[in-house]
Amino acid sequence: METVACNLCGSQQHTPVYEMPDRLFFPDEFFTVVECDHCGLGFVNPRPTIAEVQKYYPPEYYRTPPTSSHDRYVTRRFTQEASYLQELESRNGRKKLLDVGCANGDFPRFMAARGWEVEGVEISESSQRITDFLVHTQEFQDIPVNEPTYDAVTAWAVLEHVHNPMAYFQKASTVVKKGGLFVFLVTNFHSAASRYLFREDIPRHLYFFTRETVRQYLDKTGFTLEKEDNGRNVYKLAPNNWLSFFLRSRLRGKKFTYNDVPLTSKEFRRLHQLPNGIAAALQYAAYSPASVLDRMLWPAIEAAQVLTKNYGISTYAARKL
Ligand SMILES: [Zn+2]
């Protein structure tokens, strides 16, 4: 483990915001998320070093169901992601894209089909090998490209995972052509899901951004922020347990800690060895009526959050100056 200063402003002054474990793989290992007193950046501190963090990315982490280009959800997501690059497509000549954190390469492939020349960056050894276009297999800041080369660099849900986001912003500034775009999606540290509801994927997520901290990163690295989309069009971060949080924290004025989070229905069934069915559903409803009501309220809660720009996910498009 290592203790770090703020990646954005260098300050050593920060305040704990919450503690939670690695819910996916190591439920007994707790981590603290802090907020920089000076600039407001959120980060895990102390945190696993680059060598130590590998343990939190076991092969199961990458074992997502294979996506097919006919999958309607994925196609809709890629179409939404591509919309941020549309204005560049109307310019003359073939455009070049670098997708950082390209995983199995489906998004660059989608853009190649729209006429783009594509490259990717992917450091995960567990992700499947890509042979149909160039993929750099080192950290973004270490790829052997050191001049303005790309019309656009994209990074979908990547910056929260890396140990040094500033190096990523700086590298993007080096390799994006003047007038080109850096488009990235991150979780929103202003949202209830990120800040209060223990929905961040810790310690795989190490950094937590807001529009203010994103703006400061961009100012320091030669970009200007052109667009921020807060919402659930690309990825979702559902406000699970918002009602439990609201009842405890807002109505009763008590701190909502990880111990106050009700078991999920799946965890509840496992604990009581109940088969999935009506009987288990009724027992779960009796155990946590708030969870059941919460699930019913999601659409309304999410709609309100999107409307007030407090949803858990934000996409930013920044122009290279
Ligand atoms: Zn700071």
Side-chain angles (χ1 to χ4, degrees):
M1 296 285 276
E2 61 183 355
T3 300
V4 291
C6 175
N7 181 258
L8 173 54
C9 76
S11 168
Q12 311 255 17
Q13 310 296 318
H14 44 73
T15 304
V17 180
Y18 65 85
E19 285 177 30
M20 70 174 283
D22 176 350
R23 291 184 83 164
L24 282 185
F25 302 115
F26 300 95
D28 297 326
E29 287 189 34
F30 277 73
F31 300 88
T32 303
V33 169
V34 303
E35 181 173 35
C36 175
D37 293 345
H38 186 67
C39 74
L41 185 68
F43 51 107
V44 175
N45 201 25
R47 69 183 186 185
T49 62
I50 287 181
E52 288 164 343
V53 90
Q54 301 313 318
K55 136 179 170 186
Y56 302 97
Y57 289 89
E60 304 95 280
Y61 177 76
Y62 298 99
R63 215 166 287 149
T64 49
T67 55
S68 102
S69 50
H70 299 292
D71 185 316
R72 262 177 42 224
Y73 168 74
V74 172
T75 305
R76 195 178 338 130
R77 168 151 66 83
F78 290 164
T79 304
Q80 180 68 30
E81 290 176 347
S83 71
Y84 293 96
L85 307 175
Q86 211 160 10
E87 60 143 292
L88 295 174
E89 290 174 341
S90 60
R91 298 185 191 173
N92 285 334
R94 196 169 185 210
K95 300 300 172 298
K96 196 165 182 180
L97 168 72
L98 179 69
D99 186 37
V100 180
C102 68
N104 60 13
D106 280 346
F107 178 65
R109 234 164 256 132
F110 181 86
M111 295 306 291
R114 287 171 64 123
W116 287 68
E117 191 181 335
V118 298
E119 290 178 19
V121 177
E122 182 54 61
I123 51 168
S124 149
E125 290 166 17
S126 313
S127 72
Q128 108 197 23
R129 296 260 178 271
I130 294 165
T131 52
D132 49 333
F133 58 90
L134 174 64
V135 177
H136 303 277
T137 54
Q138 56 272 73
E139 287 242 24
F140 178 34
Q141 66 265 37
D142 299 327
I143 71 168
V145 179
N146 292 297
E147 50 195 50
T149 303
Y150 306 102
D151 299 281
V153 168
T154 48
W156 307 106
V158 169
L159 295 171
E160 53 273 75
H161 289 266
V162 305
H163 275 67
N164 184 358
M166 182 60 88
Y168 275 59
F169 280 92
Q170 285 167 340
K171 185 70 175 192
S173 179
T174 303
V175 301
V176 173
K177 294 177 188 169
K178 190 170 172 356
L181 293 174
F182 180 31
V183 180
F184 52 96
L185 174 148
V186 290
T187 60
N188 171 18
F189 197 42
H190 272 320
S191 69
S194 172
R195 208 180 166 88
Y196 302 115
L197 303 181
F198 307 99
R199 298 283 291 128
E200 291 284 0
D201 186 19
I202 290 179
R204 284 160 294 281
H205 288 185
L206 293 171
Y207 284 96
F208 312 99
F209 304 88
T210 59
R211 77 186 58 102
E212 291 77 17
T213 50
V214 159
R215 202 185 290 276
Q216 289 179 58
Y217 269 109
L218 295 171
D219 283 349
K220 283 175 189 250
T221 52
F223 288 101
T224 180
L225 179 60
E226 286 218 336
K227 189 175 188 185
E228 179 205 351
D229 275 344
N230 177 258
R232 50 189 165 167
N233 288 337
V234 181
Y235 286 105
K236 297 174 172 52
L237 195 69
N240 298 33
N241 298 313
W242 183 87
L243 188 62
S244 299
F245 157 72
F246 181 81
L247 293 175
R248 183 174 176 83
S249 165
R250 294 294 184 258
L251 285 190
R252 293 162 64 198
K254 293 187 173 168
K255 193 170 164 62
F256 186 70
T257 71
Y258 187 72
N259 289 331
D260 301 313
V261 175
L263 297 176
T264 64
S265 57
K266 201 171 160 188
E267 287 165 342
F268 182 80
R269 285 200 310 271
R270 201 186 307 141
L271 183 70
H272 298 284
Q273 300 183 338
L274 298 169
N276 200 356
I278 301 274
L282 290 173
Q283 284 188 52
Y284 182 71
Y287 153 76
S288 181
S291 294
V292 178
L293 193 52
D294 182 77
R295 187 68 190 78
M296 292 161 66
L297 289 173
W298 275 7
I301 297 167
E302 287 196 313
Q305 290 177 340
V306 171
L307 208 61
T308 56
K309 289 185 178 270
N310 285 307
Y311 189 68
I313 303 280
S314 286
T315 302
Y316 297 91
R319 178 121 18 221
K320 178 70 200 302
L321 297 168

